[in-house]
């Protein structure tokens, strides 16, 4: 891959496991009417940063999603590593597709 092509392949999708207490948030429940009891709660996002760094920034309150800041437990790389890295537009599309797929599997999902 050329250096120019590599620089375009620098975006990532990522999935953060959320604490079960997120289910107490009315907006989260409304966004997940088909949630299946016992399935994980997750946040799906995309970033130009390394997912580990992005997670740390969420937890520190830097451009943070409130659910990740309050309830974020850890990254779930088994759900996203296969897709990364990719161009920006592909990451934006994959974020939506991944969130839809996880919701269809019964997960409780919040997507940026």
């Amino acid at each position: 891959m050329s250096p120019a092509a590599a620089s375009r392949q620098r975006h990532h999708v990522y999935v953060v496991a959320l604490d079960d207490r997120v289910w107490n948030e009315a907006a989260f429940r409304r966004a997940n009417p088909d949630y299946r009891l016992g399935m994980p709660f997750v946040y799906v996002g995309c970033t130009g940063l390394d997912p580990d760094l992005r997670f740390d920034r969420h937890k520190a309150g830097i451009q943070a999603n409130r659910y990740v800041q309050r309830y974020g437990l850890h990254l779930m790389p088994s759900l996203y590593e296969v897709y990364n890295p990719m161009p920006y537009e592909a990451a934006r599309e994959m974020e939506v597709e991944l969130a839809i797929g996880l919701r269809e599997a019964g997960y409780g999902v919040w997507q940026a």
Side-chain angles (χ1 to χ4, degrees):
M1 181 180 308
S2 73
S7 72
R8 288 189 298 269
Q9 301 278 334
R10 63 180 208 93
H11 287 81
H12 305 268
V13 292
Y14 62 100
V15 179
V16 176
L18 301 175
D19 186 277
D20 292 350
R21 292 174 300 151
V22 74
W23 193 242
N24 294 327
E25 300 274 354
F28 193 93
R29 285 193 313 274
R30 281 192 303 273
N32 291 282
D34 297 324
Y35 170 71
R36 282 196 300 218
L37 189 63
M39 293 298 288
F41 298 107
V42 298
Y43 171 86
V44 179
C46 75
T47 182
L49 302 172
D50 177 89
D52 290 316
L53 177 58
R54 183 65 186 108
F55 177 70
D56 291 345
R57 291 176 62 114
H58 276 294
K59 294 303 285 182
I62 302 167
Q63 296 175 320
N65 173 272
R66 68 186 182 110
Y67 296 133
V68 178
Q69 187 177 13
R70 292 180 191 166
Y71 304 109
L73 300 173
H74 55 83
L75 291 169
M76 300 178 76
S78 64
L79 296 177
Y80 63 83
E81 276 185 332
V82 67
Y83 306 115
N84 295 327
M86 66 186 90
Y88 173 76
E89 285 304 322
R92 296 290 298 164
E93 291 172 13
M94 182 53 66
E95 174 188 340
V96 173
E97 291 176 24
L98 186 54
I100 290 169
L102 291 172
R103 269 199 188 97
E104 288 175 348
Y107 284 65
V109 179
W110 193 263
Q111 180 219 333

